[in-house]
Amino acid sequence: MSSYNKNLEMAVLNQISHVIVHQKNISALMKEVLDILYLEMGLQRGTFTLKRGETLYIEASHGLTEAEIKRGKYQLGEGITGKVGLRGASMVIPDISKNPEFLDRTQSRGARNISFICVPIRHDDEVIGTLSIDRENANPEELERNLFLLETVANILADAVAVIFLEAAEKEKLLEENRRLKSELDRNFSPSNIVGNCSSMRAIYQMIAQVAGSSATVLVRGGSGTGKELVARAIHQASERKSRPFVAVNCAALPENLVESELFGHEKGSFTGATARRVGRVEAAHTGTLFLDEIGDLSQPVQVKLLRFLQEKTFERVGSNEQLNVDVRIIAATSRDLEESILKNQFREDLYYRLNVFPIHMPALKDRRSDIMLLAEHFLERYSKKYNKSIKRISTPAINMMMSYHWPGNVRELENCIERSVLTSTDGVVHGYNLPPSLQTGQATNTSVISLDKQADLNVMVDSYERELIVEALKMKRGNVAAAARLLNTTQRIIHYKITKLNIDPRKFR
């Protein structure tokens, strides 16, 4: 071997060793090595492949387009590259046009008299990839020298590639673990401002986690007192806007003639009493979240303007023609049946679909009875601190009364009930008699007109007592008409007739 060739090889190896020391990215390392081989050896094309499973994929290349790289995938044993990857032995093809095993999978070779050299990259006696180059019009002696040089380069690269490969695999493993833990946290996400652990509330927590990171419009639905604003605040706090304003507007509490001014603001002199320019709630919520509570109570004209704002994110103050732009995330809430309102032409259908991007339905408290005592204990602690009282527990009769009550006012009614109980308690215990009259049943207070030992005959009762009797029975049997009928010693047909006649809704007592 001439001194020129030896010097060339030493120069190539020296440059590659420097690259290995400084480059920690597999693709970049291999690309720089191929660039060195191109500059020093005059290779036409070159590729590095790495093994993933039973397939060799091109990790880096020189002289190939992106489309050609994508086509360069080889199963172990397939073609020249696949055989080198399978057997771990180098192969030299003096003329690829005369070798039927050469696949030209990348479809990048059109010229004749191209030689192909492919060598394995081994680590711990296992092939982890291949290095291959194309040469034009190379004689056997040149091919032999190139083969020796490539095998040397592959040996030098093997450890470096393996270390980087293992680091990348470890990083991917950590990322996957991070994704798994994040997914687990999302499933177990529980906002700090909401109390509840029943299955329906856990589903709501998961929906909050899913939607918080986006700017999608959310429509929170549910009865009065179910905690719709708490959900809106939880979404805001879990979002990237948490340090920005959260502006709440109760649409039902605003006079109809002032709703538009409250939302969009007004200019001085735009109407009687407008003595100065006023910034509306929409503008005040810029970069933050605007919560529109009881959206179903908006008048039709204001609905039109809100729809335009949702579509274009632009608005005009009352009395101005200047268009203003804001970046606001909208969360709306309602206790109304919007679908029924649409049928009655009280709510715009197009606005409904703009708001109903991500609906969240809040369950009534009577449908999450397992959370009643959890909420009661939470409110008990809060109001004990507020009123500086030491309330240690809730008595069993009081618990039974709370668990059997139908809670038409939902969580808000429970909160008010506990606050009253804390104020009226004198011995550190919440007793049944500390609860509001609405929770009292004849059975709990020994004033029931229905005797559990001697059942009454509905047919001989005075008409003025019928409603009290049926309501009392439904309370005791949690809205179960059949059980109430048995308690009153009558038939379901008769009690259904009386319920219809007296306009009693058994669902309220479930």
Side-chain angles (χ1 to χ4, degrees):
M1 186 181 293
S2 67
S3 59
Y4 171 77
N5 290 325
K6 288 182 179 179
N7 292 336
L8 174 63
E9 291 172 2
M10 289 298 295
V12 169
L13 296 175
N14 183 52
Q15 291 181 60
I16 290 174
S17 64
H18 277 84
V19 172
I20 291 172
V21 170
H22 296 99
Q23 185 56 260
K24 300 302 180 186
N25 179 276
I26 292 180
S27 298
L29 170 63
M30 292 179 167
K31 185 70 172 65
E32 288 193 41
V33 169
L34 290 172
D35 290 342
I36 293 169
L37 295 177
Y38 166 73
L39 292 172
E40 299 295 344
M41 294 176 57
L43 65 88
Q44 187 177 7
R45 274 170 295 273
T47 60
F48 270 110
T49 67
L50 285 180
K51 186 173 73 170
R52 297 188 184 94
E54 297 297 312
T55 306
L56 292 162
Y57 294 87
I58 294 178
E59 186 72 23
S61 68
H62 179 89
L64 297 180
T65 65
E66 285 296 323
E68 291 168 348
I69 291 171
K70 288 181 180 178
R71 290 194 291 266
K73 294 186 291 186
Y74 307 91
Q75 298 296 318
L76 292 181
E78 182 184 34
I80 303 301
T81 302
K83 285 186 176 179
V84 171
L86 179 64
R87 300 171 182 173
S90 303
M91 293 185 71
V92 178
I93 310 300
D95 187 346
I96 61 173
S97 64
K98 298 177 181 179
N99 191 310
E101 292 184 337
F102 189 81
L103 300 177
D104 192 17
R105 180 63 55 78
T106 62
Q107 301 174 21
S108 59
R109 299 165 178 89
R112 301 178 65 83
N113 298 323
I114 295 178
S115 302
F116 181 76
I117 305 173
C118 185
V119 301
I121 302 175
R122 290 175 169 277
H123 179 72
D124 290 340
D125 293 329
E126 180 184 353
V127 177
I128 61 173
T130 67
L131 166 61
S132 62
I133 65 168
D134 290 8
R135 293 294 307 274
E136 280 191 13
N137 302 314
N139 59 49
E141 185 179 346
E142 287 178 320
L143 292 176
E144 186 177 348
R145 289 199 303 269
N146 292 160
L147 174 62
F148 177 78
L149 179 59
L150 286 184
E151 287 180 336
T152 306
V153 170
N155 290 335
I156 294 173
L157 283 173
D159 287 340
V161 170
V163 169
I164 298 174
F165 193 75
L166 290 173
E167 288 178 353
E170 184 65 23
K171 183 179 179 181
E172 179 59 32
K173 183 179 178 182
L174 290 173
L175 288 172
E176 179 60 33
E177 179 68 9
N178 186 50
R179 286 190 289 267
R180 186 190 66 79
L181 291 172
K182 186 177 184 301
S183 176
E184 186 73 19
L185 284 172
D186 287 346
R187 285 196 298 272
N188 297 323
F189 174 76
S190 179
S192 58
N193 65 329
I194 302 178
V195 177
N197 197 39
C198 65
S199 58
S200 58
M201 291 306 296
R202 287 199 301 270
I204 286 171
Y205 299 155
Q206 190 169 357
M207 286 191 282
I208 291 172
Q210 289 169 345
V211 77
S214 71
S215 59
T217 302
V218 179
L219 179 61
V220 187
R221 307 185 66 171
S224 178
T226 52
K228 297 186 291 295
E229 183 171 346
L230 291 179
V231 169
R233 290 185 180 276
I235 293 171
H236 176 73
Q237 287 299 318
S239 73
E240 295 179 354
R241 299 172 183 259
K242 62 182 178 181
S243 60
R244 304 295 184 176
F246 179 89
V247 178
V249 182
N250 189 333
C251 302
L254 297 173
E256 186 174 341
N257 60 332
L258 293 179
V259 173
E260 185 179 350
S261 172
E262 282 290 325
L263 287 177
F264 303 113
H266 62 254
E267 295 290 344
K268 180 180 178 180
S270 56
F271 54 85
T272 303
T275 56
R277 171 186 284 183
R278 187 180 189 281
V279 172
R281 305 292 183 90
V282 168
E283 197 172 347
H286 180 54
T287 71
T289 301
L290 178 65
F291 175 57
L292 300 174
D293 196 8
E294 296 303 340
I295 192 80
D297 289 59
L298 287 178
S299 65
Q300 289 276 354
V302 178
Q303 288 179 35
V304 173
K305 295 205 170 187
L306 179 60
L307 175 63
R308 183 194 167 204
F309 169 67
L310 290 173
Q311 290 173 333
E312 303 175 11
K313 288 293 186 289
T314 62
F315 68 96
E316 299 165 359
R317 296 193 189 102
V318 176
S320 171
N321 293 322
E322 181 186 1
Q323 286 198 346
L324 301 174
N325 296 282
V326 290
D327 172 24
V328 172
R329 202 259 180 86
I330 301 293
I331 301 177
T334 184
S335 57
R336 288 182 179 269
D337 186 339
L338 293 184
E339 290 80 7
E340 184 178 346
S341 297
I342 291 170
L343 293 175
K344 293 180 179 178
N345 293 320
Q346 296 173 350
F347 198 83
R348 293 182 63 93
E349 187 174 7
D350 45 6
L351 177 58
Y352 169 77
Y353 288 116
R354 277 284 176 183
L355 293 170
N356 199 40
V357 176
F358 194 96
I360 296 178
H361 293 262
M362 295 297 294
L365 184 57
K366 65 184 178 63
D367 297 326
R368 42 183 293 216
R369 292 194 178 274
S370 60
D371 285 339
I372 289 176
M373 292 316 301
L374 196 65
L375 287 160
E377 294 288 347
H378 170 74
F379 293 134
L380 190 69
E381 181 181 359
R382 173 191 291 181
Y383 289 108
S384 294
K385 289 180 181 178
K386 181 177 179 179
Y387 297 119
N388 197 27
K389 298 189 74 172
S390 178
I391 308 297
K392 297 180 176 61
R393 66 183 181 88
I394 302 174
S395 70
T396 300
I399 291 173
N400 292 337
M401 291 168 66
M402 286 191 288
M403 293 301 293
S404 63
Y405 186 56
H406 57 285
W407 299 108
N410 295 298
V411 179
R412 186 181 293 120
E413 184 182 6
L414 174 61
E415 180 179 4
N416 294 340
C417 166
I418 296 299
E419 183 177 10
R420 179 188 190 278
S421 302
V422 169
L423 288 170
T424 58
S425 175
T426 57
D427 58 356
V429 178
V430 172
H431 297 281
Y433 53 78
N434 295 126
L435 298 176
S438 58
L439 270 74
Q440 307 289 339
T441 63
Q443 183 181 356
T445 57
N446 294 319
T447 60
S448 176
V449 295
I450 306 172
S451 170
L452 295 179
D453 299 323
K454 182 180 179 182
Q455 295 183 340
D457 186 346
L458 187 63
N459 293 322
V460 298
M461 299 293 285
V462 181
D463 289 346
S464 61
Y465 283 96
E466 281 188 344
R467 183 180 180 83
E468 182 181 354
L469 284 166
I470 295 172
V471 168
E472 187 75 11
L474 288 170
K475 277 187 179 182
M476 293 171 65
K477 298 302 180 181
R478 298 184 182 180
N480 188 317
V481 176
R486 287 194 296 271
L487 183 63
L488 292 170
N489 195 25
T490 188
T491 65
Q492 289 189 53
R493 185 183 64 80
I494 290 176
I495 202 166
H496 272 298
Y497 168 76
K498 296 291 184 181
I499 284 172
T500 303
K501 177 184 174 183
L502 299 170
N503 196 26
I504 299 171
D505 186 359
R507 293 175 297 179
K508 292 182 178 180
F509 307 102
R510 291 175 185 167

